[in-house]
Amino acid sequence: MVTITLLSSSVLVGGFGYLVAKRSNDALLRGAEHEAEQRFDNGVVDATEQLNIMLTAEDPKIQQDITLLLSSLAGQRADASGVVVAMRFKDEPARTLPSEGLVWPVGHDVGKAVTKELEDDVMAGGSSHQYVTADLGGDDGQSTYLVYGSPVPTRWKHGSVQLYYLFPVDSQMAIADDIRSTINYIGAALVLLLGVVTALVTRATVSPVRVAARTAQRLSAGLLDQRMTVKGEDELALLADAFNQMAANLQRQIVRLEEMSRLQRRFTSDVSHELRTPLTTVRMAADLIHSERDSFEPAVARSAELLLGELDRFEELLTDLLEISRFDAGFAMLDAEPTDLVTVVRRVTERLEPVAERLNVSLELVAPDPPVIAEIDGRRVERILRNLVGNALDHAEGRPVVVTLGVDNRAVAITVRDFGVGLKAGEDKLVFNRFWRADPSRARQTGGTGLGLSISLEDARLHGGWLEAWGAPGRGAQFRLTLPVRAGGRLAGSPLPLVPTDLPAPRDGAEDRVRQQGAAA
């Protein structure tokens, strides 16, 4: 703002100053020309009368008489100091008059001031004038003159006479220079003053905004007690007051939500722990009943089997709730150590192979031959893969499920691809939500708590990795797990694509958007 003000004011003040200086200079020169022209016209009249009195140019005293005439013409006014008057005689055969003319005051070389253009105009029979800067050889040195020239009509039989007036205009030029200097100084001072005023006004306006920005940054960092200082009753004070009210309301809401979240986490944790004891008792009784089911009637034996199955699901749900409560409380710890991911992936696929056979689904593994070593928590990564592969088997609808392992210098990636029903538009944002299911009515062979993918996402984040989803209706779905090779490393990309290679390439930015959606979920 200050720079723009300085530039614009410099242009405006410079243009205005130039206009004022030019008009002042023109006014001074017009005044000088008007006064000089009147005096020159009077001088021409006087010279004509005096020369006509002199009957002939052969008079021995003619040169002395003309010198006296020039002296009288130059000294007609009291303020005529510096005026030079000269006469030139053309085609005059008398030797008593010099062809170069006579000058008053004596000793001035008017030939330096009378240019050929001016002399030609005078020879043509008209009067003319021009500005000339020259040193005439007097005591004044280099000066600027307003030179007037005109022919003088005489009754002489031979030759012609030219009269020249040289009016010094140094004083007018000096006044014009003083005016320009004054305008320059005043303009510079005005521009600086405008810059200072703009800086002060801008500072007074921007400072509260900067304070508000810093306060907002502190609020976003978690310092909810930060407030702005309210001064005065102007618009900035109203802004500060409104900002403080917003911060206070935000603080109340955040504190309320934190308290509710804390109570929810505590409730989940307490309920999960409290249910452990009765669940253990029920489990012991159910195992005992299940072991004696052969001696029961068929309906009671079937009930014993159903009871044991539901107890397994209930116990799994409690385990997931305890894990979720640990993530929410921030107590989850990563136990990373160098691990061969090929071994982990093969172990998961081998354990789920019976489920795949029961569902008539082909489970394929694509992995590099040499060991793929990464610093990971093997238990958590195995749980992630178990959830991903189990979900893929549930939704494969008899089609193959392909597990692919890829690696580069900075990251390892595992994709689980199925060719089942796929995901509808927008469901890739929801699959990692707690207790969310694409089709709640679908019969499930594994899992069933609705917390598996949300726990897997937290496990991936704990590693500093990504867990992302892609799907399309009728084309199946693919989940990609990307982990850094070294614990604590940062990911810049993934060795495997999220969108399967058997499909058209995504539009620009599609994969980045999917990654952001998976991380946000």
Side-chain angles (χ1 to χ4, degrees):
M1 183 62 69
V2 174
T3 303
I4 292 174
T5 301
L6 288 176
L7 292 176
S8 58
S9 60
S10 298
V11 172
L12 292 175
V13 172
F16 179 74
Y18 172 79
L19 182 61
V20 171
K22 187 175 184 303
R23 290 193 173 183
S24 300
N25 183 67
D26 293 343
L28 288 171
L29 294 180
R30 280 197 302 268
E33 289 177 2
H34 180 69
E35 183 179 355
E37 187 174 358
Q38 288 183 345
R39 183 170 180 187
F40 175 70
D41 292 340
N42 294 332
V44 172
V45 173
D46 293 342
T48 302
E49 293 177 353
Q50 294 295 328
L51 290 178
N52 287 330
I53 295 175
M54 302 174 190
L55 297 179
T56 178
E58 287 81 3
D59 188 346
K61 296 181 180 181
I62 187 65
Q63 186 170 342
Q64 181 178 359
D65 293 338
I66 291 178
T67 301
L68 293 174
L69 173 61
L70 295 177
S71 175
S72 64
L73 294 177
Q76 283 184 344
R77 297 180 53 175
D79 58 350
S81 60
V83 177
V84 179
V85 183
M87 278 189 180
R88 284 187 173 181
F89 308 97
K90 296 297 182 179
D91 301 326
E92 179 57 54
R95 295 182 179 181
T96 55
L97 294 175
S99 60
E100 293 300 326
L102 299 175
V103 181
W104 182 266
V106 180
H108 288 72
D109 185 6
V110 297
K112 297 179 180 179
V114 178
T115 63
K116 188 176 186 305
E117 292 79 8
L118 179 61
E119 187 175 359
D120 291 341
D121 292 340
V122 174
M123 287 289 294
S127 61
S128 181
H129 70 277
Q130 61 181 194
Y131 288 93
V132 177
T133 301
D135 184 2
L136 303 184
D139 298 332
D140 297 333
Q142 187 102 356
S143 299
T144 301
Y145 295 93
L146 175 58
V147 182
Y148 275 86
S150 175
V152 180
T154 64
R155 292 184 295 178
W156 296 355
K157 297 179 181 180
H158 304 285
S160 62
V161 180
Q162 300 173 357
L163 178 64
Y164 294 95
Y165 268 72
L166 284 71
F167 299 95
V169 291
D170 288 334
S171 59
Q172 287 82 359
M173 293 295 183
I175 294 174
D177 290 339
D178 291 340
I179 293 175
R180 281 193 294 269
S181 299
T182 302
I183 292 176
N184 290 335
Y185 291 140
I186 294 176
L190 181 59
V191 170
L192 292 177
L193 180 61
L194 289 174
V196 172
V197 171
T198 303
L200 294 176
V201 173
T202 304
R203 181 181 179 85
T205 305
V206 173
S207 294
V209 178
R210 290 177 177 171
V211 173
R214 288 194 294 266
T215 305
Q217 290 175 351
R218 296 190 187 101
L219 287 173
S220 65
L223 303 176
L224 301 179
D225 58 341
Q226 296 294 310
R227 297 293 184 271
M228 291 181 62
T229 303
V230 181
K231 297 180 181 180
E233 298 181 355
D234 55 2
E235 287 77 5
L236 295 177
L238 294 176
L239 173 64
D241 185 64
F243 184 90
N244 291 340
Q245 292 180 5
M246 179 191 69
N249 294 333
L250 181 64
Q251 182 180 16
R252 285 194 296 269
Q253 291 295 330
I254 290 178
V255 171
R256 178 172 171 269
L257 291 175
E258 287 180 347
E259 182 64 19
M260 292 177 61
S261 178
R262 185 184 66 81
L263 292 175
Q264 181 182 9
R265 291 195 302 268
R266 183 174 180 179
F267 173 77
T268 303
S269 178
D270 291 346
V271 169
S272 300
H273 282 89
E274 291 298 329
L275 288 177
R276 277 293 181 183
T277 301
L279 178 62
T280 302
T281 304
V282 174
R283 161 69 71 179
M284 293 175 61
D287 288 341
L288 179 61
I289 295 174
H290 187 268
S291 64
E292 299 294 335
R293 69 184 182 280
D294 293 339
S295 61
F296 299 154
E297 295 181 0
V300 178
R302 179 57 180 166
S303 298
E305 293 177 355
L306 293 176
L307 176 62
L308 187 63
E310 292 304 317
L311 280 175
D312 290 339
R313 293 170 63 85
F314 188 31
E315 189 172 9
E316 183 179 353
L317 175 60
L318 283 180
T319 302
D320 290 344
L321 287 175
L322 285 173
E323 190 68 20
I324 285 292
S325 66
R326 280 192 289 269
F327 280 118
D328 291 341
F331 294 149
M333 300 296 294
L334 186 68
D335 185 14
E337 60 181 1
T339 305
D340 182 9
L341 274 173
V342 176
T343 302
V344 174
V345 175
R346 284 178 178 171
R347 184 163 58 243
V348 171
T349 55
E350 289 173 359
R351 289 182 178 178
L352 291 175
E353 188 67 35
V355 177
E357 292 177 356
R358 186 167 63 252
L359 295 174
N360 195 25
V361 174
S362 172
L363 184 58
E364 303 176 8
L365 173 61
V366 179
D369 292 333
V372 178
I373 305 299
E375 295 180 0
I376 61 171
D377 188 333
R379 179 181 64 86
R380 295 182 182 277
V381 172
E382 186 173 345
R383 179 167 60 189
I384 296 173
L385 295 178
R386 191 166 55 249
N387 283 323
L388 296 181
V389 176
N391 286 337
L393 293 175
D394 281 342
H395 297 85
E397 296 187 335
R399 299 183 180 91
V401 172
V402 181
V403 180
T404 306
L405 175 63
V407 63
D408 59 20
N409 294 331
R410 300 183 62 180
V412 293
I414 303 171
T415 60
V416 180
R417 172 81 162 102
D418 69 78
F419 299 87
V421 295
L423 296 173
K424 299 177 182 178
E427 290 185 345
D428 54 345
K429 305 176 183 178
L430 304 174
V431 291
F432 299 105
N433 291 350
R434 298 176 184 180
F435 302 106
W436 184 87
R437 293 182 182 178
D439 186 1
S441 64
R442 178 179 296 276
R444 303 178 63 86
Q445 301 296 326
T446 60
T449 66
L451 295 175
L453 289 179
S454 61
I455 294 176
S456 299
L457 179 63
E458 296 295 339
D459 283 332
R461 288 175 175 173
L462 196 62
H463 283 83
W466 304 329
L467 182 57
E468 306 150 278
W470 169 89
R475 294 186 176 183
Q478 178 163 289
F479 287 78
R480 181 178 69 180
L481 172 65
T482 307
L483 303 175
V485 173
R486 292 177 176 80
R490 301 190 63 178
L491 296 177
S494 180
L496 297 176
L498 176 60
V499 179
T501 56
D502 58 343
L503 295 174
R507 290 176 296 178
D508 293 343
E511 186 167 337
D512 292 337
R513 287 194 297 272
V514 174
R515 179 184 299 121
Q516 295 170 1
Q517 295 165 1

